[in-house]
Amino acid sequence: MTETATAPTPPTRYTGSRVPRVEDGRLLTGHGTFVDDIQRPGMLHACFVRSPFARALINEIDASAALALPGVHAVFTAADLNPDVHEQWYSSYGPKVPDTPRPPLASGEVRFVGDPVALVVAENRYIAEDAVELVEVDYEPLTAVADYRDAQTSGILVHPKYPNNVAGGLAGPPPQVVEAAFASAAHIADETFYQQAYAPVPMETRGMVVEWSADTDELTIWAATQTPHEVRAFGARLLGLEPERVRVLMRDTGGGFGQKVVPMREDMCVMLAARKVPAALKWIEDRRENLMAAGQARHEHGHARIAFAADGTILAAGIEHTQDIGAYPTPWPVGAAAAVGLLFPGPYKVPLASWSTTSLFSNTAGRHAYRGPWQFESVARELLLDIAARDMGLDPVELRRRNMISRDELPYPNPAGMPPYDHSSPLETFELALKMLDYDAFRAEQAAARAAGRYLGVGTSTYIEPTATGQEYYACEGAVLRVAPDGRMTVIVNGGSSGNSLETTVIQLTADALGVPFDNVDTIQGDTAVTPFGSGTAGSRSGSATAGAVGEAAAALRAKLAELASPRLGVPPEDIEVADGRAQVRGSGQSSGQSSGQSLTYADLAGPDGVEASATYTAKAPMLWSNATHVCTCEVDVVTGKVTLLRYIVGEDVGPMINPNIVEGQIAGGTVQGIGGALLEHMVYDEDGNPLASTFVDYLLPTTTEVPHIEYGHMETPAPGPGGHKGAGEGGAIGAPPAVINAVADALSPFGVKITNLPASPAALVALLTEAGH
Amino acid sequence: MAELPVRLTVNGETVEKTAEPRMTLADFLRERCGLTGTHLGCEHGACGACTLLVEGAAVRSCLMFAVQADGLDVTTVEGIAAPDGTLSPVQAAMRDCHGLQCGFCTPGFVMSITALLRDNPKPTDEEIREGLSGNFCRCTGYQGILAAVHQAAETA
């Protein structure tokens, strides 16, 4: 903090403005470079043989017919690839966590429909797919754990080493801590909420091109990834190579949302197989594979309780959470689930809390990270608050007003074990969003509509989320700033942008930090051979982390430029100010960009070799708190169960925005994913463990005909991090589902309908209405 | 499998190549013509990422074989901007309105919007939403895309 106070800070010109993106030109004209656009000489194509059974023994694999097909190069099974694994662990957790099993190919037993059993390599994708059909696998089907809710009682083990299919659990304050409060409560809300499985579903599926150079022991990987440096580190460990021998390249990645945050089993297979074939090996997942095998998220339930005093004041809260982790979760899922318990109290004045979480295996696709992985805390809390308000005869907004934390009450303790909430504005964004709606006017409109037989509803959801963690691995971000001989700047960072607009972001930050025009700055990202380490796009960290890295590298560059200017200006470096594109004697007041006896441009100083400086930023705060309130209104057709969203308002606080267009784009994208989760998206399995939603005909994504117009209300409470910026990537996906469900439940409140199971599909709503006697 | 000759016009240029009868038009353009702007998001005609124009009509190139395009005129996203690189009104509006993030679905939207506005230069909001409901985007929540169509319609 004191660093920024003493360093010369150029006036802000680009940060905070709606600068058009530099990424757009190539992407709008079809000239982006996604992983499937990569061509290499003699490149071969990989396709997986996948299990058609949720659980079965593999008796035998006969690849002879496949190998006899012209154009087929190889068929690899577990016996070929799995023994080559040198080390397999993720940097974010390290090698010492009690990680769950993660073999490259299934060995001996398949554990979900889609489990990769063999890898076919052929000269093109068409032949590879033909050959997949020719690989004969003799399976002996077994009864599966199709639903994690049966996992502890079925007597069937997904993995023999895990009794009762429990991968692990964690707990915070025990229930005894809150029992006295519950015993004395005037009112108790107590429900079990269930959330269906849904997933990131990036428009670009997973994919990778891996090229092994045996002559030089070098591995080159083109990846669809959020984390190039982690792909390099993971690949090096997997194959027992020095990281310097592994180069990872990515330019454009077609969405990730958590699914591309770390390499998965198929990526391991392609890396391992690449050393056994004579040319580069490309694997591009198809959509069916993506929906069947890339993984699932959100599938969980929780017994949630809140104790209230007679005036609606919250006395205590507790949640017992259980999540489905499928057969092969990525990465270790047990630790991440703690955030559900830690954040369950949310932005409310909750004196006491208890929580526990349990992770259960099932014979389904493995759980993986997804935008706000802990969002169930908001689902459970916000749905329960609305149910409590209705039971207590209070307006849900009034109940929240009596309990929500306001900015002037911060820092405020979290009773579940998190550090205190700070630098945020929960009650303020709540009131802002309600004002944008005109809540009282809506209630009047709703009453009039009901009198006319139409069912409108309003729902709110308020959350607070830790972003840009200071946790060791994710705390780090490097930057290199280079001045070319002609004065043009280049900013080099890790990248990992999968739609996050990181190119535009770091150019804005650099242009401001050095006081140069936006158009005079270029950026290089996504090539581990030339970029410094950064931990990628995860945890809503990139805005803050790159601001830190660019800020520190800019300070180093200014110091170098001052040293270079010192002999030419005839004053010591400390008397030279480097800003606005020039170095000048402090206080001499030259106009921008002009050289004179008292002022030198960066080009004057760069010389024939240019000047370069680098720095690694390490986040110091444990987290930066972002917060928001989502307010949704809807109309429900009580005959068909169809929900029409009417208005959607997000009042949010991510601190000072680097680029409001990008922030709003992140909010909108996350919000619509959350709307999909509330109403449409459902990775259904049948009772035998067969996935029933492995195409876009069955897995329903929101489209232009379902989404509302989203209205934004911004508040900017700075955080104790670079520029005060806080994370913006995940919040939309956290806040939307409870706001939408609460709106639907409010619309149906005249029928006494209570929604505790997601999604609120038309069929589910009709069933609830029928049950309620409508 | 035997390859058949395929002769078509792509972005105004005559292309003469061969393709297996089962090769999709999308794969033919991407792999045989070096035009990788056409993206494949589902390969079963649902997501719209591979949309291009065949004889002026918006078509899912994952559902059409290259040999079916023999003798036809095809326009891909690479053929939408002016020869000097100036973005088309649709492309410019997408940029102005933050209508893209990762950019993977973007070529399909550019093609669908181009066809939509050609057929209906002043669409209502409902017509825009109906017209684009066969194109999926997972990043933008469609907000910037819808704004871009309105802007392109107003400036055209």
Side-chain angles (χ1 to χ4, degrees), chain A residues 87-171:
Chain A
E87 287 180 49
Q88 190 272 111
W89 48 271
Y90 299 109
S91 302
S92 54
Y93 282 104
K96 290 179 183 164
V97 293
D99 206 353
T100 50
R102 203 170 295 117
L105 287 171
S107 175
E109 184 174 325
V110 289
R111 295 190 162 89
F112 69 101
V113 174
D115 201 342
V117 172
L119 181 66
V120 172
V121 176
E123 65 186 38
N124 67 47
R125 172 76 190 213
Y126 286 75
I127 295 173
E129 291 196 24
D130 290 343
V132 162
E133 298 297 316
L134 297 173
V135 175
E136 298 264 355
V137 185
D138 178 15
Y139 294 103
E140 187 176 323
L142 302 169
T143 305
V145 183
D147 189 324
Y148 78 102
R149 289 169 290 184
D150 302 327
Q152 288 174 285
T153 55
S154 70
I156 298 163
L157 293 184
V158 177
H159 296 285
K161 287 184 183 164
Y162 290 85
N164 300 317
N165 294 310
V166 177
L170 292 167

Side-chain angles (χ1 to χ4, degrees), chain A residues 544-585:
Chain A
S544 173
T546 58
V550 168
E552 293 194 7
L557 183 65
R558 284 195 299 267
K560 278 196 177 180
L561 291 167
E563 294 237 349
L564 288 167
S566 169
R568 292 168 67 177
L569 295 175
V571 296
E574 55 271 24
D575 290 345
I576 294 171
E577 183 182 44
V578 180
D580 288 341
R582 68 194 196 278
Q584 66 171 356
V585 177

Side-chain angles (χ1 to χ4, degrees), chain B residues 83-156:
Chain B
D84 68 355
T86 304
L87 297 179
S88 76
V90 169
Q91 290 169 320
M94 286 281 278
R95 182 176 186 184
D96 291 348
C97 299
H98 194 50
L100 62 153
Q101 290 180 26
C102 82
F104 193 81
C105 72
T106 305
F109 271 100
V110 168
M111 303 311 288
S112 292
I113 297 167
T114 300
L116 172 76
L117 292 180
R118 184 203 55 207
D119 297 340
N120 182 2
K122 298 291 175 196
T124 63
D125 188 65
E126 193 180 345
E127 286 168 340
I128 293 169
R129 287 172 182 269
E130 277 299 325
L132 296 182
S133 64
N135 286 76
F136 296 172
C137 171
R138 198 57 169 165
C139 292
T140 65
Y142 305 102
Q143 303 296 305
I145 296 170
L146 293 166
V149 184
H150 284 288
Q151 178 182 311
E154 280 158 21
T155 56

